[in-house]
């Protein structure tokens, strides 16, 4: 279960910042003063560290870090 | 174009202060006692210091000037730098701590050192060093043109720009020679703080000055230049280019000698894990800075040289003091990374070209001196090429990332794949370089980033050829290979030897 979660969190930043780009490549809606494409990229600047943080904790709880 | 005396004085004052701090950082003689002390600070830097150092390393004058100029001329393509660096730090989480551990345990100071020990191959180490130095010198030249453009905008009519550029670079070379990595580390803190403060100041004030605020600015871009706000769907540089350029650049980032120098200063693998988490946040400023290129597009007269987009925007928008602070920030963002890049290139040259290929018997004290002395050669070459033959470098600059990424299998994959062989890795590296250059020279990239074809050929070659050599690789072993693969987990070493 944890392994599936791990793989999911690892692939998320790649999917969000590369694979889905053709679908977020648009101006509307403008959110927080940013056109949608830029808002999306901005969002992942913040979410990617959270993914890393999650992985760090999953690995630590498994005792996989030494 | 006439400069501004207040702005110029501030810029020169800040540069001189930072150079002085660079020298003061080397007061203690121990900083130059060995290659390990001089180039990676004896691996004693904590998380925060490494964060500043790597941040200082990667967010250079070229980042700010180059991205705004791309935004000015090619719109949202410039934003490829965001996923690129965010993913680079994310990927680094998975291999840097391991690489750091091996380097620490076996006293390695360059990536080429690692490849030599991992594969028992001086040929591979020299190849990696040659690629590293060859790609890094043009990159130093880019920094040089950054400070040159800045001084030109600030000081035309007051100073001889070339003389000042040469003087400031020689001063940087001198303090790097003297203080080693300690020099750029302390000055990096000043640079990073200035970068954050000044870039935020510009991001807030420029939209207010020209449009009355951020939202009116975005409204106006949407109305007048919507083509800037999305990535073209096809064409030579469209979505496929954007995606592959981001991916390949993110794999390449920590293959650069200066980035490797930065990470080897860390005192523990955990410092690097924390860095991987916090470094993406650096991009919060960067993404907003790219919008300054759009402001330049709307505000500056048509026909402005894109290269000067940000600098001209600063000049037309601010009074002397604010101009001066902005210019000094860009000048520092060019000088400090230069110092770290020079350390990285010198280290590669002395350790992996001079010692591994030419004189294996060299004494440690002499090698330290050669490594330090190489700083002058590296910066001298960069000055020579940058000022005398600027056009000869354009191709190498464009190919820098695509070239550097070719050592990824040798450095990163080999940390995880026990049976990876020396022969397949070397041929893969050469094939990757050959394909990259061919695609670039013939212009047949099909809308995909050149380095992507290169790294694909590289991976494929390694996979296909590896089975032919695997028997011998299984039979032989090296201490680094043993350390990576034959160590029972419960006997894992503490992060620092003797700690």
């Amino acid at each position: 279960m944890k392994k599936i979660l791990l793989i999911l969190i690892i692939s998320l930043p790649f999917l969000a910042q590369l694979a889905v780009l053709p679908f977020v490549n648009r101006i509307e809606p403008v959110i927080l003063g940013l056109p949608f494409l830029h808002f999306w990229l901005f969002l992942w600047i913040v979410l990617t560290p959270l993914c890393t943080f999650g992985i760090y904790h999953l690995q630590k709880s498994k005792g996989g870090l030494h | 174009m006439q400069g501004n005396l207040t702005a110029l004085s501030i810029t020169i004052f800040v540069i001189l202060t930072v150079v002085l701090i660079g020298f003061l950082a080397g007061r203690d003689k121990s900083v130059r006692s060995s290659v390990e002390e001089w180039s990676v600070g004896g691996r004693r830097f904590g998380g925060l210091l490494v964060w500043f150092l790597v941040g200082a390393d990667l967010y250079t004058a070229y980042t700010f000037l180059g991205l705004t100029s791309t935004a000015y001329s090619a719109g949202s393509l410039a934003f490829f730098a965001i996923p690129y660096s965010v993913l680079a730090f994310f990927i680094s989480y998975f291999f840097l701590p391991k690489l750091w551990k091996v380097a620490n345990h076996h006293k390695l100071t360059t990536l080429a050192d690692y490849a030599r020990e991992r594969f028992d191959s001086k040929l591979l180490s020299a190849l990696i060093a040659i690629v590293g130095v060859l790609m890094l010198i043009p990159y130093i030249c880019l920094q040089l043109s950054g400070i040159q453009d800045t001084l030109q905008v600030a000081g035309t009519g007051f100073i001889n720009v070339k003389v000042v550029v040469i003087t400031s670079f020689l001063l940087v070379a001198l303090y790097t020679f003297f203080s080693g990595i300690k020099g750029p580390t302390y000055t990096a803190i000043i640079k990073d703080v200035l970068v954050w403060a000044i870039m935020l100041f510009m991001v807030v004030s420029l939209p207010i000055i020209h449009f009355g605020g951020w939202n009116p600015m975005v409204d106006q871009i949407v109305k007048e230049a919507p083509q800037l706000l999305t990535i073209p769907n096809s064409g030579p540089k469209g979505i496929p280019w954007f995606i592959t350029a981001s991916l390949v650049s993110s794999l390449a980032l920590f293959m650069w000698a200066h980035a490797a120098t930065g990470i080897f200063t860390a005192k523990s693998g955990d410092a690097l894990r924390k860095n991987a988490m916090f470094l993406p946040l650096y991009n919060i400023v960067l993404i907003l800075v790219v919008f300054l290129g759009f402001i330049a597009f709307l505000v500056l007269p048509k026909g402005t040289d894109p290269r000067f987009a940000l600098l001209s925007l600063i000049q037309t928008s601010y009074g002397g003091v604010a101009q001066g602070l902005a210019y000094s920030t860009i000048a520092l963002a060019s000088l400090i990374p230069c110092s770290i890049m020079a350390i990285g290139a010198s280290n590669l040259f002395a350790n992996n070209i001079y010692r591994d290929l030419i004189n294996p018997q060299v004494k440690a004290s002499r090698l330290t001196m050669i490594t330090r002395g190489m700083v002058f050669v590296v910066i001298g070459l960069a000055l020579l090429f940058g000022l005398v033959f600027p056009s000869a470098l354009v191709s190498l600059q464009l190919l820098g990332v695509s070239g550097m990424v070719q050592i990824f299998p040798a450095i990163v994959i080999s940390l995880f794949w026990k049976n990876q062989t020396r022969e397949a890795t070397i041929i893969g590296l050469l094939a990757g370089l050959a394909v990259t250059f061919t695609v670039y020279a013939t212009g047949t990239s099909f809308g995909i980033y050149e380095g992507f074809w290169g790294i694909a050929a590289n991976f494929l070659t390694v996979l296909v050829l590896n089975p032919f050599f695997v028997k011998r690789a299984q039979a032989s072993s090296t201490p680094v290979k043993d350390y990576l693969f034959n160590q029972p987990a419960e006997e894992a070493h503490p992060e620092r030897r003797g700690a």
Side-chain angles (χ1 to χ4, degrees), chain A residues 22-57:
Chain A
F23 308 102
V24 297
N25 186 19
R26 47 189 289 171
I27 298 174
E28 299 293 335
V30 177
I31 303 175
L32 298 174
L34 291 172
F36 191 73
L37 171 66
H38 310 92
F39 167 76
W40 181 258
L41 294 175
F42 194 93
L43 185 69
W44 283 92
I45 296 178
V46 183
L47 291 184
T48 307
L50 286 180
C51 292
T52 321
F53 188 71
I55 295 165
Y56 181 73
H57 273 271

Side-chain angles (χ1 to χ4, degrees), chain B residues 115-330:
Chain B
R116 183 192 63 230
E117 298 298 320
R118 165 71 176 82
F119 291 105
D120 186 25
S121 170
K122 288 186 175 176
L123 176 63
L124 183 57
S125 122
L127 270 177
I128 289 174
I130 291 168
V131 175
V133 174
L134 205 64
M135 298 300 166
L136 201 52
I137 288 180
Y139 213 67
I140 298 178
C141 289
L142 276 180
Q143 304 310 323
L144 191 121
S145 60
I147 194 169
Q148 196 179 354
D149 292 353
T150 309
L151 286 170
Q152 196 176 324
V153 172
T156 301
F158 300 109
I159 49 167
N160 182 327
V161 173
K162 277 197 177 161
V163 173
V164 179
V165 169
I166 293 174
T167 317
S168 52
F169 269 73
L170 289 182
L171 282 174
V172 168
L174 207 61
Y175 91 56
T176 311
F177 173 78
F178 189 72
S179 307
I181 194 75
K182 284 273 163 64
T185 309
Y186 290 125
T187 52
I189 300 175
I190 305 173
K191 176 238 159 197
D192 279 9
V193 170
L194 256 179
V195 163
W196 273 88
I198 296 299
M199 294 296 161
L200 271 177
F201 167 72
M202 292 205 289
V203 161
V204 172
S205 64
L206 284 172
I208 295 179
I209 291 172
H210 295 288
F211 306 94
W214 181 274
N215 288 334
M217 173 193 78
V218 171
D219 289 346
Q220 196 164 340
I221 307 174
V222 172
K223 211 160 52 203
E224 286 177 26
Q227 77 279 8
L228 293 178
L229 292 176
T230 52
I231 308 158
N233 279 317
S234 56
K237 284 189 175 177
I239 286 262
W241 183 91
F242 190 102
I243 293 173
T244 47
S246 303
L247 180 66
V248 171
S249 310
S250 68
L251 297 177
L253 187 63
F254 283 97
M255 300 299 109
W256 289 96
H258 54 288
T261 301
I263 56 146
F264 284 159
T265 60
K267 69 175 175 203
S268 69
D270 227 42
L272 292 173
R273 284 192 193 95
K274 294 204 175 103
N275 253 284
M277 279 178 234
F278 289 111
L279 271 168
L281 298 177
Y282 224 109
N283 289 314
I284 291 177
V285 197
L286 192 61
I287 194 170
L288 300 177
V289 167
V290 182
F291 277 87
L292 300 182
F294 297 158
I295 301 185
F297 182 87
L298 293 178
V299 168
L300 295 178
K302 295 282 160 279
T304 306
D305 186 348
R307 181 168 162 175
F308 289 96
L310 181 61
L311 292 167
S312 309
L313 185 66
I314 292 170
Q315 198 188 27
T316 51
S317 310
Y318 294 123
V321 177
Q323 268 186 44
L325 288 172
Y327 296 148
S328 5
T329 305
I330 298 172

Side-chain angles (χ1 to χ4, degrees), chain B residues 9 18 23 55 78 103 121 152 154 212-213 244 264 321 335 349 418 460:
Chain B
S9 318
V18 163
F23 276 111
S121 170
Q152 196 176 324
T244 47
F264 284 159
V321 177
L335 289 172
F349 190 90
K418 189 178 172 188
L460 203 67

Side-chain angles (χ1 to χ4, degrees), chain A residues 17-18 21 41, chain B residues 79-88 242 246 250:
Chain A
Q17 290 173 85
L18 301 176
L21 274 180
L41 294 175
Chain B
F79 288 97
F80 94 94
I82 304 299
Y84 143 38
S85 47
V86 171
L87 287 175
F242 190 102
S246 303
S250 68

